[in-house]
């Protein structure tokens, strides 16, 4: 029997392919990535925003090279290989949230993605965790809900549950934005952005996302206005455009989720808020 998800398109496409090609040269810091993975895109966005030199290495999740498994026996992407000058070798780091914190601490002379104020840094971590522990699981419950077997009312409930998490996060966006903390693009923007870029899947497979259009939000109009402004600003960044592949190659991946057929490690890892093995 075929392995679920095993026919994932093998490489980045469009603007993302061009970016990959610009990062093939040997570098001390290496990003082991899967072009399709939103957890990978978190790290990729941060590397681009912080202007850190890196080498991009695509990992096939079903045909991992021994050299990659020697670095990280768990086989997770994203993984970064961190240079160790004392031994002239590389050390692995994985879990996207851990890597993001590492990049902030290890590259202080590069553009920061966390504010200097201790309270604001702590607040960023609270809402970063909210994305991983609340928004992403609610997104997958909505995406994988099967109305044909479980009833249409449950789909409406799953949609509202997901939208409520987006509203809760959006209420915390700076009053004038456009980004979470105001004028500066920071880690809370990075952490949520890859999933925000993929919300078209609900229009494609679940009868619509349900976010009201401008002027249609009722008592929540201000909150949804902040969300729309935030999303437009984040999608407009060069790093966002250049780390996103062509939509047609995401379609078969997310159709499996929408049909609740994606039972591979890829699906389980994404549901649980981890990297992709």
């Amino acid at each position: 029997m075929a392995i679920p998800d095993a026919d994932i398109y093998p490489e980045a496409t469009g603007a993302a392919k061009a970016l990959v090609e610009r990062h093939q040269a040997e570098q001390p810091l290496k990003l082991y990535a899967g072009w399709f993975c939103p957890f990978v895109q978190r790290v990729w966005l941060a590397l681009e925003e912080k202007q850190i030199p890196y080498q991009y290495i695509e990992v096939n999740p079903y045909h991992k090279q021994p050299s990659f498994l020697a670095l990280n026996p768990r086989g997770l992407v994203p993984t970064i290989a961190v240079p160790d000058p004392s031994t002239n070798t590389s050390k692995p780091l994985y879990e996207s949230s851990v890597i993001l914190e590492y990049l902030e601490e290890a590259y202080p002379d590069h553009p920061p993605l966390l504010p200097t104020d201790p309270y604001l840094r702590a607040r960023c971590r609270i809402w970063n965790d909210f994305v991983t522990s609340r928004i992403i699981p609610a997104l997958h419950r909505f995406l994988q809900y099967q109305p044909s077997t479980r009833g249409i009312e449950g789909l409406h409930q799953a949609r509202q549950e997901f939208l409520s998490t987006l509203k809760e996060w959006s209420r915390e966006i700076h009053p004038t934005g456009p980004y979470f903390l105001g004028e500066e693009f920071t880690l809370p923007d990075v952490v949520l952005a890859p999933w925000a870029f993929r919300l078209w899947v609900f229009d494609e497979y679940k009868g619509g996302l349900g976010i009201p259009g401008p002027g249609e939000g009722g008592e929540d109009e201000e909150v949804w206005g902040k969300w729309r402004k935030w999303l437009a600003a984040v999608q407009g960044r060069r790093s966002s455009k250049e780390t996103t592949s062509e939509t047609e190659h995401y379609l078969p991946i997310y159709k499996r989720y929408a049909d609740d057929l994606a039972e591979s490690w890829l699906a389980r890892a994404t549901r649980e808020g981890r990297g992709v093995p």
Side-chain angles (χ1 to χ4, degrees):
M1 185 171 65
I3 301 171
D5 305 333
D7 59 347
I8 288 171
Y9 198 78
E11 62 184 7
T13 57
K17 181 178 182 179
L19 182 60
V20 167
E21 291 172 348
R22 295 200 301 271
H23 286 276
Q24 292 302 292
E26 184 79 19
Q27 293 288 348
L29 181 70
K30 304 180 191 304
L31 171 64
Y32 292 85
W35 67 267
F36 52 85
C37 175
F39 295 100
V40 165
Q41 193 173 16
R42 280 179 172 176
V43 175
W44 205 2
L45 284 167
L47 288 168
E48 286 295 311
E49 290 287 343
K50 291 181 69 64
Q51 302 167 29
I52 298 171
Y54 65 95
Q55 180 182 2
Y56 181 104
I57 301 172
E58 187 73 38
V59 174
N60 185 317
Y62 302 99
H63 303 285
K64 301 181 185 74
Q65 295 298 317
S67 58
F68 174 60
L69 292 174
L71 180 70
N72 180 359
R74 294 181 65 187
L76 293 168
V77 295
T79 288
I80 61 170
V82 177
D84 184 355
S86 65
T87 62
N88 199 31
T89 59
S90 296
K91 302 179 292 187
L93 280 178
Y94 41 88
E95 303 291 351
S96 62
S97 58
V98 173
I99 295 172
L100 293 176
E101 291 276 354
Y102 168 81
L103 295 177
E104 282 299 289
E105 295 175 5
Y107 295 88
D109 297 330
H110 289 252
L113 291 173
L114 278 174
T116 57
D117 179 77
Y119 174 81
L120 289 178
R121 290 170 76 92
R123 185 166 174 266
C124 286
R125 292 184 175 103
I126 288 172
W127 290 101
N128 290 349
D129 178 74
F130 183 86
V131 172
T132 299
S133 65
R134 296 281 304 281
I135 292 180
I136 295 172
L139 181 151
H140 278 274
R141 284 192 292 271
F142 178 19
L143 182 58
Q144 293 180 263
Y145 185 88
Q146 300 302 300
S148 61
T149 58
R150 301 174 61 190
I152 193 66
E153 287 304 316
L155 179 65
H156 297 328
Q157 182 177 343
R159 177 183 288 111
Q160 292 309 310
E161 177 193 1
F162 174 58
L163 293 180
S164 71
T165 65
L166 287 188
K167 283 195 296 185
E168 190 168 350
W169 191 88
S170 298
R171 288 189 185 99
E172 300 299 320
I173 297 174
H174 187 275
T176 59
Y179 302 113
F180 189 82
L181 291 184
E183 296 182 357
E184 299 297 324
F185 184 79
T186 59
L187 277 191
D189 307 306
V190 170
V191 166
L192 181 55
W195 285 269
F197 299 159
R198 290 158 169 78
L199 292 182
W200 54 263
V201 301
F202 294 102
D203 294 327
E204 187 77 24
Y205 299 122
K206 293 296 171 177
L209 176 59
I211 291 179
E216 299 174 355
E219 62 182 18
D220 294 321
E221 178 61 25
E222 181 179 355
V223 174
W224 288 125
K226 291 167 70 175
W227 167 263
R228 288 188 291 267
K229 186 176 182 179
W230 174 84
L231 183 58
V234 173
Q235 286 181 318
R237 296 187 73 83
R238 179 196 61 80
S239 62
S240 300
K241 297 175 182 177
E242 293 188 354
T243 59
T244 301
S245 285
E246 295 168 334
T247 300
E248 65 183 280
H249 297 298
Y250 293 103
L251 284 168
I253 297 172
Y254 285 98
K255 187 176 191 309
R256 291 195 183 93
Y257 284 106
D259 293 342
D260 202 21
L261 297 175
E263 289 306 320
S264 66
W265 279 103
L266 166 61
R268 292 198 294 275
T270 307
R271 281 201 300 268
E272 295 163 9
R274 301 184 286 111
V276 175

